[in-house]
Amino acid sequence: MGSVQIVTTILAAAITAVAVWLAVRAVLKMVAVIRLGQPAPERFGDKAARTRTMLVETAGHTRMLKWGVVGAAHWFVMVGFVVLSLLVLEAYFEVVTPTGGLPVIGHWTIFGLVTEIITVLGLVGIVVLMVIRLRNRPTRPGGRSRFTGSTMWQGYFVEWIVLLVLIFGLVIRGFKVATDHFEYPLWATPVSHAVGAVLPDWSDGASVAALIKIAISMTWLIVISLNVTMGVAWHRFLAFPNIFFKREPAKPAGSGLGALRPMTSQGKPLDFEEADPEKDQFGVAHVEQFSWKGLLDFSTCTECGRCQSQCPAWNTGKPLSPKLLVLSLRDHAYAKAPYLLAGGGKDLTGEEKATQAQLAHLDVLSLAEGDKPLIGDAESGGVIDPDVLWSCTTCGACVEQCPVDIEHVDHIVDMRRYQVLIESSFPSEAGVMLRNLENKGNPWGAPQNTREDWTKGLDFEVPRVGEVDDFEYLFWVGCAGAFEDRAKKTTRAVATLLNEAGVTFAILGEGETCSGDPARRIGNEFVFQMLAQQNVETLNEAFEGREKAKRKIVATCPHCFNTLGNEYGQLGGEFEVVHHTQLLAHLVATGKLTPVQPVDGGVTYHDPCYLGRHNRVFAAPREVLGDAIAGDLTEMPRNSERSFCCGAGGARMWMEEKIGKRINVDRVEEAMATGAKTVAVGCPFCSTMLNDGVNGKGAGEQVEVIDVASVLLRSVKPEQPQGGRETAPIGG
Ligand code: SF4
Ligand code: SF4
C-alpha cells in the first residue's frame, strides 16, 4: 500500500464511520417517530400478496411508467442505485489498492458489462430527471407546477449526487484503463475505455477517484441523516415498506380507494353501541392518533407533486394540495416527536399526560409544536387549515397517482371524523344535509312516501321486493334517483331498458334509505353506521336464503354502488353490486338490447370518480356509448384514471364552493372544448354539477348533459318520448 493509498483509506474509513453513525441514529429516530402511531394489525395479513405487490410495483414501476419518459428515467436511476451500490462497495477496495475490485464478481466480464450499461442508462435517466425538474421549477415563467411547495434544494442535491457518483464510477474505470489495469474487454465497457483514453497514466488515479466517489456518497448519507424529513432521498428505502403495508395489497391499482377504513381506536374497529369519546379515539385530533402506517406514509412522500398536479381542489385555486397536506403532517410529526417521546401528549379528555419533570429538558420549539392544534386557521397556529380539510372531494386522484401508495383520502376523512363527531365543526351549510339524513333518511329531506314517484307514468309495473320473489336484480334507486328530477329520468331510463331486455328486477321503494355515503365522507361515521345498518338489515331480509352470487344489486349512483359493494361488507352485508352501465353493457353485448338508431352530434364521456378511479369501471360506459352513438366517442384530455372530478364528492355537493374557480366549471370547459354536443355521465351528482356548469356558461341550448342510460335508451327506443329538453341536441 503506497502513501496515497494510506491517506485515501484513512479518509474513506473516517467519513464512512461518521456517515454510518449518523445514519443509524437517523433510522432509530425515524422508527421511534413511526412507532408513535396507533396500531394497525390488519397491515400484517397476507404477506405473500404484499411481497408480490411490492416487488411488482417497485421493479415494474407500475405507477411511474404511466408518466412515460419520467417513469422510464426514474426506473433507470432506481436500478442504477441498487446495482451501482456494488460499485460504491468496490470503491472501498480501490482506495486500498488502485487495481482492487470486488472479490469474485469483480472479475466477471458480465459484471463489467451490466454495470457499464446501467451506468450509461443511469446517466441518461438522471439528466432527464434534472431537466424535467428544472423545466417544472415553481419559479419558472408560467407559475405553479407540481413542484410548487416541494423543497427544491433537496431534489437538486439528490440529483447532483447521483450524477457525480455515476461520473466518478467511470473516472475510476478510466484510470484503470489508462494504467493498463482494467480487466474488462473493450466490447463490454466501451465508455470506460473512451474515458480512459483521455485520462493520464496516473497510477494512484483510481484510488483518489474512488475516495472522491466515497466522499460524495457519504456526504449524501450524512445530509439525509441530518434531515430525516428529506423524503426525496429517504423514499429509496421507505417506499418498500410503505408499499408492502398498503391497505389492500391484492388490489395494486386502487388500494386506498373505494371503501373507507372503518373508524378504529387502538387498532380495533369502533363499535358505536359501546364507544365512549372519553375512552375511545374518535377520528384523529392529534398527529400521533394516525396509525403508524399513516406516519410511515408521511415520512415516505417524495415531494414529487404528482398528486398535486391532478387534484381538482389545487387546480381550481383552493388551498388544498394533497402533497402540501402530507408535508405539513410530516413536518409536524417530526417536530412534535421530542415532546411525545418525552411522554407528552393529550389524553382523550384533553389533559396533558406528562409531568413537569418529564418535559423540563425540552426546548421551547418542541413544546410549542406539542400545543399546536391539528386543525386550525393561521391565527390559532393550526397545522392544517379548515379550508384545506374541507376542500377535498375525496376524488382519489392523489391516491391514484402516488408512486409510493400514500393513502391521502383515509387521512383526510380521519381528521374530518374528529372535527364532525367531537368538535361539531364543519361547513355549516352541510348541517342541513346531515339533519335530513338523520330525520328523513335522504339528504334532500324529501318525504319518504315519495320515493316511488319516479315510477308514475311508466307503461310497465315496477315490482317491490316482497311482491315478487324471483327477481334477478334488486334495483337500488338511490336518493338522487328517487327525488332529484334529472336523476329520475335516468332511473326511468334504466328501468325501461331492464324491462325491455327482460331482466327481472324489484325495488325496495319506501324501504330504501340513503346509503350513507355523504355522511361517511364528511366524517359523520355515526350517521353512516345508523343508515348502513338499517340498509344492510333490509337487504339481508330481501335476499334471505340466497347465496352471495345471487344477491345481485344494480345501482345507478356510483356512490351507492361503492358503499353497498365495498363498505357494507364491514357491517355484514355481502352483495354482488353492479353499476347500471355494467349491466347495460352486458345486455347489449348479449343481444338483449339492440341499439337501432345511433345518437349523433358528438358525444364525450365524463368518468365519475366513484365509478372510475375508486372502482376501476372505465370500459363499460364506453362500451355502451360505443354501441349507441354515431362515430367515435370524443375523449376529454383528462379521462379514465386521470379524469377530473365534477366537484360533488366527499359531501362537497352539500357545501358551498367559496374559494377559487368552481370545479364543475373547469370540467365543463374541458368537455365543451371537445366540441361534443352531448356530455354523457354515469352519476347523478356529476349530472347535477355538470348541468349547473353548462347552464352557468349559458350553453344549455348547445350542450346537453345526460346519463349513459338515457343515451342508450334513445338509440334502443328512438320512438320513446324522452321528455323536455333532453331530446333537442341529439338523436337525429
Ligand atoms: S382526494 Fe381529490 S380533492 Fe382530495 S386531496 Fe386527493 S386529489 Fe385533491
Ligand atoms: S404523489 Fe405521493 S409521493 Fe408524490 S408528492 Fe404526492 S403524496 Fe408525495
Side-chain angles (χ1 to χ4, degrees):
M1 189 189 278
S3 55
V4 171
Q5 281 69 37
I6 292 172
V7 173
T8 53
T9 304
I10 291 172
L11 289 177
I15 191 169
T16 303
V18 172
V20 170
W21 176 68
L22 288 173
V24 169
R25 219 181 54 154
V27 170
L28 291 177
K29 180 172 178 185
M30 226 180 259
V31 170
V33 172
I34 291 165
R35 281 168 58 97
L36 286 168
Q38 300 303 304
E42 73 283 0
R43 304 280 177 168
F44 291 90
D46 203 355
K47 294 197 176 59
R50 290 185 183 281
T51 309
R52 208 168 35 246
T53 300
M54 180 190 72
L55 292 175
V56 169
E57 267 195 45
T58 48
H61 258 45
T62 45
R63 298 286 172 89
M64 293 286 291
L65 285 175
K66 289 187 182 159
W67 283 58
V69 174
V70 69
H74 190 274
W75 188 84
F76 288 126
V77 172
M78 180 201 72
V79 172
F81 176 76
V82 175
V83 176
L84 300 181
S85 295
L86 286 173
L87 292 188
V88 175
L89 186 59
E90 190 169 57
Y92 286 92
F93 292 88
E94 289 157 341
V95 289
V96 178
T97 164
T99 57
L102 281 179
V104 189
I105 60 169
H107 304 286
W108 294 351
T109 300
I110 187 73
F111 178 69
L113 172 69
V114 169
T115 46
E116 182 93 348
I117 292 172
I118 289 173
T119 298
V120 173
L121 293 177
L123 275 171
V124 173
I126 198 65
V127 170
V128 169
L129 292 184
M130 291 170 98
V131 170
I132 289 171
R133 190 179 295 272
L134 280 170
R135 287 180 58 178
N136 288 288
R137 68 194 183 283
T139 51
R140 80 199 191 291
R144 301 203 300 184
S145 77
R146 70 183 168 99
F147 291 120
T148 301
S150 298
T151 322
M152 292 304 281
W153 75 262
Q154 296 182 344
Y156 295 135
F157 171 77
V158 168
E159 285 165 352
W160 272 102
I161 290 282
V162 174
L163 183 71
L164 291 172
V165 166
L166 290 169
I167 288 173
F168 271 89
L170 286 173
V171 172
I172 297 169
R173 285 184 163 191
F175 275 120
K176 286 183 172 174
V177 171
T179 53
D180 210 15
H181 286 116
F182 197 53
E183 47 189 315
Y184 305 125
L186 174 65
W187 68 264
T189 52
V191 182
S192 299
H193 277 85
V195 174
V198 298
L199 289 177
D201 177 6
W202 179 26
S203 60
D204 295 323
S207 292
V208 173
L211 173 65
I212 296 173
K213 180 172 172 167
I214 289 170
I216 294 168
S217 304
M218 292 305 118
T219 300
W220 173 77
L221 194 54
I222 289 169
V223 170
I224 73 165
S225 300
L226 294 175
N227 292 277
V228 282
T229 57
M230 195 168 163
V232 68
W234 282 105
H235 83 274
R236 286 182 178 184
F237 310 107
L238 297 179
F240 296 96
N242 210 50
I243 294 171
F244 181 86
F245 290 115
K246 66 156 69 179
R247 176 139 70 85
E248 289 173 77
K251 239 172 71 176
S255 172
L257 294 173
L260 279 175
R261 285 177 57 247
M263 264 175 73
T264 55
S265 179
Q266 288 298 314
K268 297 198 192 88
L270 210 57
D271 177 353
F272 275 91
E273 303 265 308
E274 295 167 3
D276 175 354
E278 298 207 344
K279 293 198 190 110
D280 297 303
Q281 182 183 315
F282 276 49
V284 166
H286 309 286
V287 75
E288 65 275 16
Q289 290 182 337
F290 286 107
S291 75
W292 61 262
K293 175 60 171 64
L295 298 179
L296 179 60
D297 269 3
F298 308 151
S299 308
T300 309
C301 176
T302 72
E303 305 194 18
C304 69
R306 283 175 180 76
C307 54
Q308 180 171 287
S309 73
Q310 307 291 308
C311 175
W314 178 258
N315 278 298
T316 53
K318 321 267 187 293
L320 166 65
S321 146
K323 176 184 75 179
L324 299 181
L325 177 123
V326 166
L327 300 189
S328 300
L329 293 170
R330 178 197 68 189
D331 292 345
H332 173 58
Y334 280 82
K336 190 178 180 184
Y339 160 74
L340 294 170
L341 291 168
K346 304 279 188 289
D347 66 17
L348 290 165
T349 62
E351 294 299 315
E352 175 59 58
K353 288 192 270 188
T355 61
Q356 291 280 352
Q358 280 175 297
L359 302 180
H361 70 285
L362 289 178
D363 63 49
V364 64
L365 288 178
S366 300
L367 287 171
E369 201 72 31
D371 265 350
K372 274 190 182 175
L374 188 65
I375 306 296
D377 57 17
E379 211 175 306
S380 63
V383 178
I384 304 290
D385 192 279
D387 282 335
V388 169
L389 187 68
W390 297 109
S391 288
C392 179
T393 67
T394 69
C395 74
C398 46
V399 180
E400 173 77 36
Q401 288 300 327
C402 182
V404 291
D405 279 329
I406 289 170
E407 296 161 357
H408 315 68
V409 174
D410 284 339
H411 304 322
I412 289 170
V413 173
D414 270 340
M415 290 187 283
R416 285 185 174 186
R417 284 167 168 168
Y418 179 81
Q419 293 301 309
V420 172
L421 293 173
I422 303 297
E423 298 286 336
S424 285
S425 172
F426 52 87
S428 55
E429 62 273 18
V432 179
M433 176 271 287
L434 287 172
R435 270 195 303 281
N436 285 336
L437 286 181
E438 277 190 82
N439 300 330
K440 302 275 173 108
N442 69 83
W444 286 277
Q448 186 71 352
N449 63 9
T450 59
R451 266 203 186 262
E452 295 174 32
D453 282 4
W454 64 271
T455 60
K456 288 181 185 160
L458 290 174
D459 55 9
F460 56 91
E461 278 298 307
V462 177
R464 291 182 203 88
V465 170
E467 292 172 358
V468 285
D469 286 333
D470 59 347
F471 61 90
E472 185 182 0
Y473 282 93
L474 188 149
F475 183 12
W476 181 271
V477 175
C479 301
F483 301 122
E484 204 270 332
D485 283 343
R486 266 184 299 249
K488 274 159 65 175
K489 287 183 184 162
T490 305
T491 312
R492 291 161 65 86
V494 172
T496 305
L497 287 164
L498 295 185
N499 183 59
E500 180 77 10
V503 175
T504 54
F505 67 95
I507 59 170
L508 287 172
E510 292 182 29
E512 196 182 294
T513 63
C514 175
S515 67
D517 162 87
R520 192 167 221 202
R521 273 145 190 91
I522 203 172
N524 197 330
E525 186 74 4
F526 179 76
V527 170
F528 166 74
Q529 295 278 337
M530 186 186 83
L531 294 167
Q533 273 166 7
Q534 188 179 334
N535 284 326
V536 167
E537 210 172 292
T538 307
L539 289 167
N540 280 342
E541 212 172 290
F543 287 122
E544 201 171 354
R546 294 197 194 191
E547 60 190 277
K548 188 185 170 194
K550 297 208 168 140
R551 296 157 75 95
K552 294 200 237 175
I553 298 174
V554 57
T556 54
C557 171
H559 298 267
C560 299
F561 165 64
N562 179 62
T563 304
L564 270 63
N566 295 328
E567 297 188 335
Y568 280 8
Q570 295 168 4
L571 297 160
E574 296 288 347
F575 314 108
E576 285 293 327
V577 189
V578 294
H579 187 248
H580 68 283
T581 55
Q582 292 175 296
L583 182 53
L584 295 179
H586 170 73
L587 295 174
V588 174
T590 51
K592 301 222 171 81
L593 287 175
T594 310
V596 289
Q597 185 167 317
V599 172
D600 62 17
V603 179
T604 190
Y605 173 65
H606 163 81
D607 289 90
C609 302
Y610 275 83
L611 184 63
R613 258 192 306 270
H614 280 279
N615 283 288
R616 325 310 293 173
V617 180
F618 300 114
R622 289 178 168 79
E623 283 162 20
V624 174
L625 292 170
D627 288 320
I629 65 173
D632 291 333
L633 188 67
T634 313
E635 290 284 6
M636 284 184 258
R638 295 177 291 190
N639 66 71
S640 307
E641 287 97 337
R642 289 204 195 183
S643 179
F644 195 71
C645 182
C646 71
R652 289 283 333 163
M653 177 91 173
W654 289 275
M655 298 179 212
E656 283 174 29
E657 198 174 333
K658 297 176 193 150
I659 309 172
K661 184 180 180 184
R662 291 185 65 82
I663 294 174
N664 59 340
V665 170
D666 197 284
R667 186 57 164 168
V668 158
E669 284 170 358
E670 186 178 2
M672 287 172 62
T674 65
K677 295 277 180 284
T678 301
V679 182
V681 294
C683 169
F685 294 171
C686 298
S687 173
T688 299
M689 297 303 278
L690 298 190
N691 263 301
D692 287 355
V694 166
N695 292 333
K697 294 200 81 68
E701 289 303 312
Q702 294 86 50
V703 178
E704 187 184 24
V705 180
I706 54 167
D707 193 274
V708 171
S710 297
V711 178
L712 180 64
L713 183 62
R714 286 178 190 181
S715 182
V716 170
K717 296 184 82 171
E719 76 289 354
Q720 172 98 7
Q722 304 290 324
R725 161 74 185 81
E726 283 200 322
T727 50
I730 61 166

